[in-house]
Amino acid sequence: MTEQTPQADSGEPTSGQTDEPTPGPADEPTPGPADEPTPGTPDSRRQADGTEPAEASHSPSPSSPSPSLSPTPAPRPVPKPGPVPTPAAIRKVAHPQPVAASPNLPPGPPAESFGRVAEDGTVFVRTTEGEREVGAYPGASPEEALHYFARKYDELYSLADLLHQRLQTTDLSAKEAAEGLAKVRGHVAEAGVVGDLAALEAKIAEIDTAVTTRKEAEAAERAAARAAAAAEREKIVAEAERIAAQPENKIQWKQSGARMRELLEAWKTHQRGGARLDRETEGTLWQRFSQARNSFDKARRVHFAQLEGSQAEAKAAKQALVKEAEELSTSTDWGSTAGAYKRLMDRWRQAGRASRADDDALWERFKAAQDAFFQAKDQISAKEDEEFRANLATKEALLQEAERLLPVKDLDAAKASLRAIQDRWEAAGKVPRADMERMEKAMRRIEQAVRDADDQRWKRSNPEVAARARSMVDQLESSVASLRADLDQAEASGDERKVREARAKLEAQEQWLAQARGNLDEFSG
């Protein structure tokens, strides 16, 4: 007969709890004509691995009534093992990624060969420790009962094998795999199945080993990630400390402040998205980072507080300078006022810098006062230049006349002519400002040439100097005569060394004598 879907009121076979969920179409096939073989017909599951299920010769015929249609309900057996998890239950726990691999059937003999059915319909499984009761299938044949519990073993083994394959072929995390393994172990401990339980335990041991290996690999990855994250944090902290350690007079406050903010954002980014550091390492790095930031902020506040004070002093000083400049702007004492403005500019540079806005406003006022004075002065100078152009022509002619005195041949005549030219030069008056320096330099050059000629004549006619020159000549002539006598004696003695020394001294004295006589000739000539 074909097996009907177990019902609660028709002697449902149990394997632990009485409320075991019936496998649905998506998870476990429902026993029935489509997927449950009739007695005497080869089991399609066993045909896949080349074995034949054990079938009894007294299997009920298809015309026999099914257990669910019996007029007298069979008694419910006492449940023994727990529920068998479905593949959907395992996937719900482990949250795996889709895999292309399919679970394998248990190796070795058919699962039914590890069980038996007692005369009262109780199903037992053989283990290394002996037989253990797993449940009963009231109203079914012994072969159908064994097949039912064997199929549940196959499903449970397939679930364990699927978890094992996912550990080997996907990036399933150790935590998810451990959760799936714990769930499988829980079902195995409570499951009422017939099959090679030792092989199932061996498969679970393989999974446990794989989970341990995955845990160790993930621990190593986490350690490497923590080391890399600690190195990145160390770079952030080290740069912050370098910025904070700069000498105050070399800090670019705007750029350094912006960089400090960027480093803080980088720290937050690493904290949110990077590997988590251990509490001690993160605390130590954060303490150093915080100290560097606090040190920089304190120095910045002190700097700008001092800057604000110095800017206030500079502002007060420049306000006083602006007031003086504005008072001088209407002065007509052109020479002294121009000098006063030059001194005000020197004091402005020494006053330091106020804030940019104050500095710019005060400078505009200072420059406006200065420009007003010099514009008025330039207007007056322009008028004077027009009046002085005739004087320029007169002085140009006087300058040409003075140029003809050079070179000086007759000193007395040159001096007399130059005095007359100088008198007319002064009487000619001022020349335009642009020509003033050129004309004055040219006249001073001629005057200096006449003075030099006068100095030379005085040197030649000075009695004291002439006497000293005569005395020098007399001394050198006496020395030369003495050295000539020494040379004669050396030559007479035949001593070559004395001859060379005497001749060298004589030649030197004769050169000095010639020079002294030339100087004496200048005074006598």
Side-chain angles (χ1 to χ4, degrees):
M1 77 176 185
T2 58
E3 180 184 0
Q4 302 296 323
T5 302
Q7 301 294 330
D9 58 352
S10 61
E12 173 189 9
T14 59
S15 55
Q17 300 174 356
T18 58
D19 57 350
E20 174 188 357
T22 301
D27 303 312
E28 178 181 351
T30 302
D35 58 1
E36 184 68 22
T38 60
T41 303
D43 189 347
S44 60
R45 174 180 57 84
R46 291 306 170 193
Q47 288 175 347
D49 56 8
T51 62
E52 293 293 335
E55 298 292 346
S57 61
H58 57 278
S59 299
S61 64
S63 61
S64 300
S66 66
S68 61
L69 302 179
S70 175
T72 303
R76 296 174 62 86
V78 178
K80 293 295 182 181
V84 178
T86 64
I90 294 296
R91 288 194 297 272
K92 184 175 181 181
V93 172
H95 304 288
Q97 296 180 352
V99 294
S102 300
N104 297 319
L105 293 175
E112 291 89 344
S113 64
F114 290 89
R116 72 178 182 84
V117 181
E119 294 180 357
D120 60 355
T122 303
V123 180
F124 293 88
V125 63
R126 286 189 293 273
T127 68
T128 56
E129 299 174 356
E131 290 188 340
R132 177 166 60 85
E133 183 180 347
V134 297
Y137 197 152
S141 67
E143 290 79 5
E144 291 174 331
L146 277 176
H147 177 72
Y148 179 79
F149 288 101
R151 187 184 62 203
K152 290 187 177 294
Y153 169 84
D154 291 344
E155 292 171 351
L156 188 57
Y157 185 92
S158 297
L159 294 177
D161 186 68
L162 178 62
L163 180 59
H164 189 210
Q165 289 186 45
R166 291 178 55 226
L167 268 169
Q168 293 177 327
T169 59
T170 70
D171 57 352
L172 183 68
S173 69
K175 179 181 178 182
E176 292 175 330
E179 291 174 355
L181 177 60
K183 191 72 174 178
V184 170
R185 276 177 168 164
H187 287 302
V188 168
E190 300 174 356
V193 296
V194 171
D196 189 354
L197 297 182
L200 181 59
E201 290 295 336
K203 176 61 70 175
I204 291 176
E206 290 182 22
I207 297 173
D208 185 68
T209 301
V211 170
T212 301
T213 302
R214 181 64 57 87
K215 286 181 178 178
E216 293 174 352
E218 290 182 356
E221 291 174 359
R222 286 193 297 270
R226 282 196 298 269
E232 291 297 326
R233 300 277 188 96
E234 176 64 32
K235 289 181 182 179
I236 293 173
V237 173
E239 184 175 355
E241 289 174 338
R242 285 196 299 272
I243 293 174
Q246 295 179 94
E248 184 179 347
N249 59 344
K250 294 184 178 180
I251 296 179
Q252 298 292 329
W253 294 104
K254 184 176 181 180
Q255 293 87 337
S256 297
R259 184 55 184 161
M260 275 292 195
R261 290 190 292 273
E262 291 174 358
L263 291 176
L264 178 59
E265 289 302 318
W267 178 282
K268 292 179 180 178
T269 300
H270 279 284
Q271 199 171 39
R272 288 191 298 265
R276 294 181 64 85
L277 304 180
D278 60 90
R279 184 182 298 274
E280 180 180 359
T281 301
E282 185 164 20
T284 300
L285 289 172
W286 173 252
Q287 185 177 11
R288 288 172 54 196
F289 187 43
S290 180
Q291 287 176 351
R293 292 177 59 241
N294 292 339
S295 175
F296 177 80
D297 290 340
K298 181 179 179 181
R300 183 174 58 83
R301 288 193 298 270
V302 170
H303 170 78
F304 283 102
Q306 294 174 348
L307 182 62
E308 185 176 355
S310 62
Q311 287 178 344
E313 294 177 0
K315 179 181 179 180
K318 288 185 175 182
Q319 285 175 334
L321 293 175
V322 169
K323 184 177 180 181
E324 291 185 45
E326 290 174 342
E327 291 174 353
L328 291 173
S329 63
T330 57
S331 173
T332 56
D333 187 358
W334 311 116
S336 61
T337 304
Y341 270 113
K342 184 178 182 301
R343 291 188 293 274
L344 286 177
M345 277 298 303
D346 294 337
R347 290 164 58 191
W348 181 278
R349 296 188 186 97
Q350 297 169 1
R353 292 188 62 85
S355 66
R356 181 181 297 274
D358 291 336
D359 236 11
D360 291 345
L362 290 171
W363 172 249
E364 288 297 327
R365 290 176 57 191
F366 183 87
K367 188 173 183 301
Q370 183 177 247
D371 290 347
F373 167 77
F374 282 104
Q375 287 173 2
K377 180 175 178 295
D378 290 342
Q379 291 176 357
I380 298 299
S381 297
K383 293 179 181 179
E384 290 178 347
D385 287 346
E386 290 298 327
E387 298 173 0
F388 296 157
R389 291 195 182 280
N391 300 342
L392 176 62
T394 301
K395 285 192 172 184
E396 290 279 7
L398 291 174
L399 191 59
Q400 292 177 3
E401 184 179 346
E403 290 281 357
R404 290 194 290 270
L405 298 177
L406 302 181
V408 178
K409 297 178 181 179
D410 186 346
L411 181 59
D412 293 333
K415 291 171 65 176
S417 298
L418 182 59
R419 282 195 293 272
I421 291 172
Q422 288 173 333
D423 292 340
R424 286 183 289 162
W425 183 276
E426 295 296 331
K430 296 181 179 180
V431 297
R433 182 177 299 276
D435 300 299
M436 186 180 297
E437 184 176 3
R438 176 177 64 83
M439 299 299 291
E440 292 297 329
K441 281 184 177 181
M443 180 56 71
R444 283 196 297 270
R445 181 177 60 80
I446 296 170
E447 293 172 348
Q448 187 62 43
V450 174
R451 280 196 296 271
D452 291 343
D454 192 27
D455 290 342
Q456 289 294 328
R457 188 175 71 172
W458 166 249
K459 288 180 180 179
R460 290 194 300 269
S461 62
N462 189 341
E464 294 181 359
V465 176
R468 286 196 296 273
R470 167 53 63 183
S471 176
M472 177 62 69
V473 170
D474 293 341
Q475 291 177 8
L476 289 173
E477 286 177 346
S478 176
S479 176
V480 167
S482 176
L483 289 173
R484 283 175 179 169
D486 293 340
L487 178 60
D488 292 339
Q489 291 178 1
E491 291 176 346
S493 66
D495 191 338
E496 293 296 332
R497 183 179 63 78
K498 290 183 177 180
V499 171
R500 286 195 302 272
E501 291 178 355
R503 184 175 287 113
K505 292 180 180 179
L506 178 60
E507 291 176 355
Q509 291 291 325
E510 286 177 342
Q511 290 177 0
W512 292 348
L513 177 59
Q515 185 176 358
R517 283 173 176 172
N519 293 335
L520 182 60
D521 290 341
E522 290 181 2
F523 289 107
S524 60

